Amino acid sequence: MMKRWAALTGAVLAVMVASGAAWARVEQSAASPAAMTQAQLRVVTANLDFHRAEAARRDWNTIGPEADIVFLQEVKYVRMRDILGDGWAVRQDTSSEDRQGSAVIIRKSAVKAIGELQLVKGVDASPCPDGGIMTRWIARVDVQLHNNRWIRVASLHMPPPRCQTGLGSPYARMADSVVAFANRSDRLLVLGGDWNKVVDSDPNDIGARTGLKPRGPDSGLRIDGFYVSPAIGTQGLQFLPRTGDNSHRPVKMNITVPAP
């Protein structure tokens, strides 16, 4: 009798173990498709040319419908949180003009999670000929996509032509900061900015020194664009319509981010 009971108990346990393993496989299988898919996003970089709230709101009517992640520069006179709805996560430090100048805006529905803003110094304030510049920052945010991949996105504004002369120029020093920032990053990167040099000519060998891909327009003012990790696919680079009297035009690109 005891032998039969032991045999029966063993059989039941075997069925339960097998069922549990099968259930675990089902759960794993059910969870895997999202993690296995590529994530596609629209990114836009735009220099708002120091517009204030009302003009920036008009700019956003051009930019917002085309974007999931927006990299902004020259926004030191506008608090983007004040003009955007709850569907957007605004990452902008408004504690001082220099820190407020570059910002990252993210469509909440396009991603799974959004980290906090971190500012990385690009270059200290400098007395360039014909007008100095304030301290410039790399505005960085980590974002988790719906395929569970985390990427790092950052907005930046490189120094203008008056600050580009010589090996130790503010431009050269900030380029070195961008290279150091990219090379120590442990995530895939998308950098959007006003580079103040032709982007696809790889200013100051930023791409050559980091492995990032420069992606800029091939006509018009060619200083606004992106640097992107080589694992990220890039398609559809194009200008958006001009916003008001701004000499810059927003630049849009579609990106494809592989699964983790």
Side-chain angles (χ1 to χ4, degrees):
M1 178 69 178
M2 292 298 295
K3 290 182 179 179
R4 286 200 302 271
W5 175 253
L8 180 58
T9 301
V12 170
L13 287 174
V15 170
M16 291 175 64
V17 170
S19 298
W23 178 250
R25 285 196 298 272
V26 168
E27 285 199 319
Q28 183 178 13
S29 176
S32 61
M36 296 282 290
T37 59
Q38 296 177 329
Q40 296 183 329
L41 295 168
R42 303 165 302 165
V43 296
V44 173
T45 187
N47 181 318
L48 296 196
D49 197 25
F50 304 118
H51 284 174
R52 296 180 186 268
E54 194 55 42
R57 187 177 285 108
R58 291 194 296 269
D59 297 341
W60 195 259
N61 290 336
T62 297
I63 296 168
E66 300 291 334
D68 299 310
I69 298 177
V70 181
F71 306 89
L72 295 180
Q73 306 86 44
E74 291 192 357
V75 287
K76 69 178 183 177
Y77 295 137
V78 59
R79 293 168 55 97
M80 295 303 296
R81 176 71 278 155
D82 294 343
I83 67 173
L84 298 182
D86 290 339
W88 296 94
V90 176
R91 296 295 184 262
Q92 181 185 28
D93 184 337
T94 58
S95 63
S96 64
E97 285 188 6
D98 60 313
R99 291 171 176 264
Q100 190 166 329
S102 292
V104 179
I105 317 294
I106 301 160
R107 187 187 298 274
K108 292 178 182 177
S109 62
V111 300
K112 189 173 183 179
I114 304 168
E116 294 303 315
L117 175 70
Q118 295 189 38
L119 293 182
V120 178
K121 185 179 289 187
V123 66
D124 287 314
S126 301
C128 304
D130 300 321
I133 59 170
M134 293 188 295
T135 301
R136 299 217 167 176
W137 301 89
I138 302 166
R140 163 206 150 174
V141 182
D142 287 348
V143 179
Q144 186 181 27
L145 308 183
H146 285 303
N147 68 352
N148 294 329
R149 164 77 76 176
W150 282 90
I151 64 171
R152 182 160 292 157
V153 298
S155 176
L156 56 99
H157 186 190
M158 297 294 286
R162 67 180 182 273
C163 302
Q164 295 178 7
T165 303
L167 292 177
S169 70
Y171 194 100
R173 295 200 301 274
M174 186 160 179
D176 290 344
S177 296
V178 174
V179 169
F181 166 72
N183 285 338
R184 66 174 175 262
S185 176
D186 57 354
R187 301 192 188 282
L188 297 183
L189 287 176
V190 182
L191 310 181
D194 174 355
W195 301 88
N196 266 311
K197 289 185 180 182
V198 176
V199 181
D200 48 356
S201 293
D202 191 18
N204 287 58
D205 297 324
I206 291 171
R209 291 191 283 163
T210 61
L212 299 178
K213 304 179 294 187
R215 291 292 182 264
D218 58 7
S219 63
L221 189 66
R222 302 169 61 194
I223 63 176
D224 301 286
F226 306 92
Y227 273 83
V228 186
S229 290
I232 296 177
T234 59
Q235 309 85 26
L237 186 73
Q238 66 182 81
F239 282 116
L240 295 180
R242 191 176 304 281
T243 55
D245 59 356
N246 193 344
S247 60
H248 295 266
R249 288 176 62 183
V251 178
K252 173 187 175 183
M253 186 172 67
N254 300 323
I255 62 172
T256 303
V257 181

